[in-house]
């Protein structure tokens, strides 16, 4: 079976068994801060498993683009050396949302591998979590062939799956295939061993718990099923290929690597495997809107690119070459994943620029290492300190093994223990930086505590509130409130007009009050459908939490500023695509009351003309006074209608589509003006690069834009006054001043030269007089 046939066979098999075939979500999960990359098929269904979102269907099946190169699931260091590991790969999955459980999941998979793939039963093994007797018994019942000791029990490391430190998890059961003695005999060749003889071809997770992030595990509302099977591994088995890199999907790509590097696969299998894997990872991530940078996922991508470039050097490549492989990958996978075809130019530009910069870095790093080596040698030592090795790794992307090679050339060794210690310290620092996630959990935990441990009731939105309302407020009921350990207070309401930070839009501020309470609300968080309003008591008298009617009021001017900026973000997105091209894709945004920030994929700085064109288009849309229409629809209709899916929205749900007819249509949960005219005007105040391949614009609208433009007018007037010209000639006045200043400097220089050359005073004096006349004339004071 070809890879394409295996993909098709899997989803067809499950579609015939009432599973809804869903598209892959993007490999970059912009909306989930708990993971760097989409690491499994279940990610897009995470909120369904935990009960935060309702599923429209009880069963689903997908072929998911996955990346395992950071966080809990990280195979980066294995890539190239084993037959079966990848950073980017495709995962076949079937999912039950509280529908079938262990028995049916095992049944389906046994049937799929033995009847559809027709794998020989005597080569198959099953594993279960050590205490999962139920799964053990089910395997022996469903697959009696495995009764002869081929159902094995393993501990948490192998048979308990979780998405990350936060998120759903549960015991799992895997299917392994024995590729035979050809791949090794001896005790090290075992199921779950390190070698490539036994290959895991499927993992059935029995989703039963959620990890909120505070170290606890809470049962899920309904036990569910999440399965995952690596497509490339199955293809390798079906095609009797020694490694994943020799399956049909990789043939042309590996050939392109051989051609470009002028080397043979047989001579350099590891380096060619690494390059083949990494070009897929880079292309898919960049096409889905990621950038290359020095932090987070951008940093992981930078390391991946550098690793590929280093292996390129081992093949004798001293010039950028990785970008040249993109077309071969697109030819192979562009049909199944049109996004890589669409973004091919952008991807190539980013990779090429990054390769060029790495080559420069490599030179700098080598010089740096030379200096370190001199110091080490001068001190009479042969050991390069761990911190220096770490600095090269962290700042210049030099992996340990590369530094080791260079060190050997200098007859030096590396302090590995010191390096690992420095690495560990950095990981601890970055973990501390991520602790905001658990703050959310703890605020709602305190509220629940105040609610006598009962779960809080989800907050109803306040649909009746209007933008024109002044004040923007509703009457509602305070359900629970508490004082937090840091002195702030948190309350939950039955209904709330407040917007909680999401999709880049900041939360509303405002107040909640009654005769017994008055809280200044500073931020609002949504946890499991409950809006948690956090703030401080305004006075020392009204500070009692009583379950009673209250008024909830948001700062309406601030909210309107936010809405102007949010709608302007959509208009700017559409205008950028018009001016720069269709490759422009949102990769992040901030929408606040003062300004908005919009990050997008584009490989070079915008020119002043391009900035102006975008400003003109957006301002044109504003004065046209287009209506802004918000509709709810299912995701398929949204896609059919051409709405731009920005952040890997969760499929299978009702989504909100915000459109400005004829201009823009986006999936968005934020708040917007009713007519573009209400935005007033739009100005781009900054354009910068934040990562290679990702640009950022900062923009202002409405009141801020007016203030800015009036400020500019004042500025021009003041300059005019300073150079004694009318406002409209201010620039001309400054230019003349600059020219005459230059002339003056020249004259003074001449005068000084004449004076010091001993030619006597007269020449010098004449020149000085001339210069003074010139200067005063320019200010128009003595002329005429
Ligand atoms: N989530 C599980 C895995 O990734 C099964 O899909 O292995």
């Amino acid at each position: 079976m070809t890879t394409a046939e295996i993909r098709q066979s899997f989803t067809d098999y499950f579609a015939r068994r009432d599973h809804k075939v869903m598209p892959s979500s993007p490999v970059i999960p912009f909306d989930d801060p708990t993971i760097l990359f989409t690491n499994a098929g279940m990610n897009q269904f995470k909120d369904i498993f935990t009960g935060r979102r309702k599923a429209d269907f009880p069963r689903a099946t997908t072929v998911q683009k996955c990346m395992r190169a950071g966080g809990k699931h990280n195979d980066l260091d294995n890539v190239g050396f084993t037959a079966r590991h990848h950073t980017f790969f495709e995962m076949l999955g079937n999912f039950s949302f509280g529908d079938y459980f262990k028995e049916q999941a095992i049944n389906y998979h046994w049937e799929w591998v033995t009847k559809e793939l027709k794998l020989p039963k005597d080569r198959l093994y099953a594993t279960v979590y050590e205490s999962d007797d139920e799964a053990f018994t089910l395997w022996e019942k469903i697959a009696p062939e495995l009764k002869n000791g081929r159902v094995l029990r393993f501990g948490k490391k192998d048979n308990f799956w979780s998405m990350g430190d936060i998120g759903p998890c549960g015991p799992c059961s895997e299917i392994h295939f024995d590729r035979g003695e050809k791949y090794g005999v001896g005790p090290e060749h075992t199921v779950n061993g390190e070698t490539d003889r036994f290959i895991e071809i499927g993992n059935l997770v029995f989703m039963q718990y959620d990890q909120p992030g505070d170290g606890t595990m809470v049962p899920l509302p309904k036990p569910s099923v999440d399965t995952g099977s690596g497509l490339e591994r199955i293809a390798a088995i079906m095609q009797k290929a020694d490694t994943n890199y020799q399956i049909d999907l990789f043939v042309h790509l590996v050939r392109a690597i051989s051609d470009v590097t002028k080397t043979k696969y047989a001579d350099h299998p590891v380096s060619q495997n690494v390059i083949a894997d990494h070009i897929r990872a880079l292309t898919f991530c960049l096409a889905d809107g990621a950038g290359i940078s020095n932090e987070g996922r951008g940093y992981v991508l930078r390391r991946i690119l550098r690793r590929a470039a280093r292996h390129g050097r081992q093949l004798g490549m001293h010039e950028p070459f990785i970008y040249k492989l993109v077309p071969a990958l697109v030819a192979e996978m562009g049909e199944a994943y049109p996004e890589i075809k669409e973004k091919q130019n952008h991807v190539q530009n980013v990779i090429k620029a990054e390769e060029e910069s790495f080559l420069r870095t490599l030179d700098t790093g080598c010089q740096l290492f030379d200096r370190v080596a001199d110091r080490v040698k001068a001190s009479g030592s042969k050991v390069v300190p761990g911190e220096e090795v770490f600095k090269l790794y962290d700042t210049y992307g030099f992996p340990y093994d590369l530094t080791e090679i260079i060190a050997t050339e200098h007859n030096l060794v590396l302090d590995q223990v010191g390096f690992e210690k420095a690495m560990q310290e950095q990981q601890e620092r970055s973990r501390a930086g991520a602790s905001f996630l658990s703050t959310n959990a703890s605020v709602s935990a305190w509220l629940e505590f105040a609610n006598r441990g009962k779960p809080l009731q989800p907050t109803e939105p306040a649909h009746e509130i209007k933008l024109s309302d002044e004040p923007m407020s509703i009457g509602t009921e305070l359900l629970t409130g508490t004082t937090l350990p840091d002195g702030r207070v948190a309350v939950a309401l039955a209904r709330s007009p407040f917007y909680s930070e999401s999709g880049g839009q900041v939360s509303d501020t405002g107040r909640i009050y009654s005769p017994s309470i008055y809280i200044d609300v500073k931020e609002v968080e949504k946890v499991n459908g409950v809006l948690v309003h956090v703030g401080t008591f305004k006075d020392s008298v009204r500070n009692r939490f009583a379950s009673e009617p209250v008024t909830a009021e948001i700062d309406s001017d601030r909210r309107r500023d936010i809405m102007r900026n949010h709608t302007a973000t959509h208009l700017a997105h559409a205008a950028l695509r018009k001016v720069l091209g269709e490759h422009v894709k949102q990769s992040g945004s901030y929408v606040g009351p003062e300004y908005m920030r919009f990050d997008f994929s584009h490989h070079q700085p915008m020119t002043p003309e391009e900035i102006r064109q975008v400003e003109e288009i957006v301002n044109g849309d504003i004065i046209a006074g287009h209506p802004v229409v918000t509709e709810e629809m299912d995701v398929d209709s949204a896609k059919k209608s051409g709405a731009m899916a920005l952040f890997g929205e969760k499929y299978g749900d009702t989504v909100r589509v915000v459109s400005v007819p004829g201009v823009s249509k986006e999936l968005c949960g934020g708040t917007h003006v009713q007519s573009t005219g209400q935005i007033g005007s739009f100005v781009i105040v900054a354009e910068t690069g934040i990562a290679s391949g990702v640009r950022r614009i900062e923009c202002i609208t409405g009141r801020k834009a007016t203030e800015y433009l009036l400020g500019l007018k004042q500025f021009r007037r003041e300059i005019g006054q300073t150079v004694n010209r009318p406002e409209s000639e201010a620039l001309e006045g400054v230019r003349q001043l600059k020219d005459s200043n230059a002339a003056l400097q020249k004259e003074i220089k001449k005068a000084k030269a004449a004076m010091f050359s001993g030619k006597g005073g007269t020449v010098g004096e004449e020149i000085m007089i001339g210069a003074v006349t010139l200067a005063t004339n320019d200010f128009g004071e003595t002329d005429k």
Side-chain angles (χ1 to χ4, degrees):
M1 280 168 106
T2 63
T3 316
E5 284 164 355
I6 299 169
R7 261 193 213 116
Q8 195 65 42
S9 137
F10 186 85
T11 47
D12 282 355
Y13 173 87
F14 283 97
R16 288 197 300 274
R17 282 152 191 83
D18 302 322
H19 288 64
K20 182 157 165 83
V21 183
M22 300 293 289
S24 169
S25 67
V27 71
I28 303 298
F30 285 105
D31 58 351
D32 189 343
T34 67
I35 42 173
L36 284 180
F37 299 101
T38 298
N39 63 19
M42 52 72 63
N43 290 180
Q44 65 167 309
F45 305 116
K46 169 176 151 179
D47 288 347
I48 299 182
F49 286 125
T50 56
R52 291 184 180 95
R53 202 162 60 94
K54 216 176 95 302
D56 290 341
F57 34 83
R59 304 166 170 212
T61 178
T62 59
V63 180
Q64 174 67 45
K65 299 182 276 187
C66 294
M67 261 295 268
R68 293 204 168 164
K72 188 173 175 69
H73 297 280
N74 187 350
D75 289 328
L76 181 56
D77 292 333
N78 286 324
V79 170
F81 299 101
T82 71
R84 62 191 194 282
H85 285 105
H86 293 291
T87 52
F88 174 88
F89 66 103
E90 293 173 76
M91 185 187 279
L92 310 170
N94 60 286
F95 309 91
S96 147
F97 309 122
D99 188 26
Y100 59 83
F101 199 42
K102 295 184 186 178
E103 177 160 14
Q104 192 65 300
I106 294 174
N107 244 322
Y108 284 150
H109 268 261
W110 184 247
E111 186 174 60
W112 188 64
V113 296
T114 56
K115 299 234 169 85
E116 300 284 317
L117 298 182
K118 300 193 175 58
L119 292 180
K121 291 180 180 165
D122 59 350
R123 297 283 196 94
L124 293 166
Y125 288 74
T127 67
V128 297
Y129 185 49
E130 54 198 357
S131 57
D132 195 348
D133 295 334
E134 187 190 355
F136 188 94
T137 314
L138 283 169
W139 270 111
E140 290 204 331
K141 180 178 129 198
I142 294 164
E145 295 82 354
L146 303 186
K147 263 189 175 166
N148 54 354
R150 283 191 288 136
V151 182
L152 307 167
R153 293 177 193 258
F154 284 89
K156 201 160 178 186
K157 179 176 146 285
D158 294 299
N159 279 73
F160 194 95
W161 197 87
S162 52
M163 175 181 156
D165 294 333
I166 296 177
C169 58
C172 62
S173 179
E174 294 178 340
I175 306 182
H176 292 248
F177 181 77
D178 178 4
R179 299 202 296 165
E181 292 186 350
K182 178 178 162 206
Y183 293 93
V185 283
E188 71 277 27
H189 300 283
T190 54
V191 168
N192 283 330
E194 293 296 314
T195 72
D196 286 325
R197 175 169 161 181
F198 291 85
I199 303 267
E200 177 221 316
I201 55 165
N203 183 16
L204 322 182
V205 183
F206 308 126
M207 285 293 182
Q208 276 168 289
Y209 306 100
D210 186 23
Q211 301 176 104
D214 55 6
T216 61
M217 280 206 294
V218 288
L220 292 181
K222 288 185 199 152
S224 295
V225 169
D226 145 39
T227 83
S229 303
L231 173 66
E232 296 82 350
R233 291 177 176 193
I234 293 176
I237 289 169
M238 298 300 286
Q239 298 170 16
K240 299 198 168 46
D242 278 342
T243 76
N244 288 7
Y245 298 93
Q246 285 145 321
I247 63 175
D248 58 339
L249 190 67
F250 276 98
V251 166
H252 296 117
L253 186 56
V254 169
R255 192 170 303 144
I257 297 172
S258 296
D259 289 348
V260 170
T261 61
K262 303 201 171 40
T263 56
K264 288 207 190 82
Y265 182 79
D267 296 339
H268 303 277
V270 172
S271 290
Q272 292 211 7
N273 291 348
V274 168
I275 296 167
D277 175 275
H278 290 6
I279 185 70
R280 294 204 321 158
L282 291 163
T283 302
F284 277 88
C285 290
L286 292 170
D288 273 349
I292 297 184
S293 68
N294 262 344
E295 54 186 23
R297 66 173 70 95
Y299 181 56
V300 176
L301 294 182
R302 174 159 282 163
R303 283 195 55 211
I304 288 178
L305 184 131
R306 290 178 172 192
R307 192 163 182 256
R310 256 189 332 105
H311 280 274
R313 265 174 119 84
Q314 283 171 18
L315 304 182
M317 302 304 290
H318 290 268
E319 295 294 322
F321 74 99
I322 302 170
Y323 76 98
K324 292 185 187 158
L325 302 168
V326 178
L329 173 64
V330 170
E332 197 61 57
M333 298 188 73
E335 201 173 315
Y337 298 97
E339 64 273 25
I340 63 169
K341 200 187 258 171
E342 249 168 58
K343 302 283 162 49
Q344 177 173 329
N345 278 344
H346 167 71
V347 169
Q348 283 194 282
N349 286 336
V350 175
I351 294 182
K352 182 162 182 244
E354 185 65 21
E355 285 190 85
E356 282 162 355
S357 113
F358 180 53
L359 293 176
R360 286 193 297 273
T361 305
L362 207 57
D363 292 335
T364 320
C366 287
Q367 285 164 12
L368 234 136
F369 186 87
D370 287 347
R371 284 210 289 277
V372 174
D374 287 346
R375 276 205 302 276
V376 172
K377 285 179 200 159
S379 71
S381 165
K382 272 188 161 299
V383 184
V384 183
E387 298 113 69
E388 300 282 2
V389 185
F390 180 72
K391 200 153 94 195
L392 280 167
Y393 164 84
D394 195 36
T395 321
Y396 294 93
F398 272 40
Y400 186 87
D401 51 353
L402 176 66
T403 311
E404 196 167 36
I405 294 169
I406 310 177
T408 318
E409 285 163 12
H410 283 261
N411 252 333
L412 297 172
V413 292
L414 307 185
D415 163 19
Q416 188 170 359
V417 176
F419 170 77
E420 278 162 10
K421 189 164 158 262
M423 177 86 124
Q424 203 177 346
E425 281 166 8
Q426 197 220 36
Q427 279 166 355
E428 271 154 26
R429 276 195 301 277
S430 66
R431 260 203 295 280
S435 64
F436 72 94
L437 287 169
S438 48
T439 324
N440 272 2
S442 62
V443 171
S444 69
W446 277 102
L447 260 185
E448 257 183 42
F449 181 68
N451 203 30
R452 294 174 205 279
K454 287 204 300 286
L456 300 165
Q457 173 186 323
T459 319
E460 266 179 57
H463 288 302
E464 75 274 27
I465 194 161
K466 290 203 200 62
L467 300 182
S468 49
D469 286 351
E470 196 53 69
M472 255 187 208
S473 68
I474 61 158
T476 176
E477 196 188 334
L478 191 149
L479 298 178
T480 315
T482 189
T483 305
L484 300 170
D486 60 7
R488 292 178 307 158
V489 290
V491 297
L493 305 176
R495 281 180 319 129
S496 172
F498 283 82
Y499 182 84
S500 64
E501 173 158 354
S502 111
Q505 180 177 331
V506 299
S507 18
D508 284 321
T509 56
R511 54 211 64 82
I512 294 169
Y513 56 90
S514 75
S516 45
I517 196 164
Y518 195 123
I519 299 172
D520 274 326
V521 178
K522 305 264 177 25
E523 55 188 304
V524 186
E525 289 158 359
K526 195 175 200 168
V527 185
N528 298 345
V530 180
L531 284 192
V532 180
H533 307 77
V534 184
T536 49
F537 282 128
K538 187 182 161 88
D539 56 44
S540 54
V541 181
R542 290 188 291 171
N543 59 1
R544 280 191 309 110
F545 300 109
S547 299
E548 60 170 16
V550 290
T551 301
E553 178 180 312
I554 58 180
D555 288 322
S556 46
D557 281 344
R558 181 178 180 275
R559 157 68 89 84
R560 289 187 197 105
D561 286 340
I562 294 173
M563 294 193 308
R564 287 189 188 98
N565 281 336
H566 204 154
T567 310
T569 309
H570 290 204
L571 297 182
H573 188 186
L576 284 166
R577 289 170 69 90
K578 252 193 212 157
V579 174
L580 304 178
E582 296 290 301
H583 62 276
V584 165
K585 186 170 170 166
Q586 177 167 354
S587 65
S589 72
Y590 164 87
V591 180
E594 306 279 326
Y595 77 110
M596 67 89 162
R597 201 167 68 205
F598 184 78
D599 300 340
F600 58 97
S601 44
H602 185 55
H603 57 280
Q604 62 193 25
M606 287 175 75
T607 62
E609 294 72 44
E610 286 167 342
I611 294 178
R612 192 189 165 110
Q613 279 173 29
V614 171
E615 288 175 317
E616 278 174 358
I617 294 175
V618 174
N619 281 297
D621 290 332
I622 292 172
I623 55 175
H626 297 299
V628 182
V629 186
T630 304
E631 295 160 286
E632 306 241 309
M633 55 179 89
D634 67 75
V635 91
D636 288 340
S637 323
K639 288 201 118 184
K640 271 194 213 110
S641 78
M644 277 201 280
L646 296 180
F647 282 160
E649 70 291 355
K650 307 287 192 297
Y651 293 95
D653 214 357
T654 317
V655 290
R656 199 154 161 270
V657 175
V658 175
S659 39
V660 177
V663 180
S664 137
K665 189 171 260 201
E666 296 194 11
L667 299 197
C668 176
T671 61
H672 289 268
V673 293
Q674 289 151 320
S675 152
T676 56
Q678 289 165 332
I679 297 173
S681 61
F682 165 88
V683 182
I684 299 178
V685 288
E687 194 273 347
T688 47
I690 54 162
S692 109
V694 184
R695 308 296 306 173
R696 164 174 293 174
I697 51 171
E698 288 168 40
C699 315
I700 51 177
T701 65
R703 297 193 290 176
K704 280 281 163 205
T706 307
E707 206 177 285
Y708 177 83
L709 295 171
L710 294 180
L712 281 187
K713 205 175 143 194
Q714 167 81 4
F715 182 57
R716 199 166 76 140
R717 189 163 56 239
E718 283 175 15
I719 294 177
Q721 280 166 358
T722 312
V723 296
N724 257 335
R725 294 290 184 101
E727 199 180 308
S728 58
E729 292 167 18
L731 182 63
E732 192 44 40
V734 172
R735 269 196 202 119
Q736 276 187 9
L737 192 59
K738 200 174 149 213
D739 292 346
S740 70
N741 188 35
L744 199 58
Q745 294 294 337
K746 230 159 126 191
E747 295 289 336
I748 291 173
K749 222 165 154 187
K750 257 206 264 168
K752 275 191 188 156
M755 279 196 223
F756 292 117
S757 69
K759 277 193 186 154
T762 27
V763 185
E765 272 160 26
E766 271 170 33
I767 293 172
M768 286 303 275
I769 292 163
V772 170
T773 318
L774 193 61
T776 42
N777 278 354
D778 268 307
F779 284 96
E781 279 162 5
T782 57
D783 204 14
K784 294 182 197 118

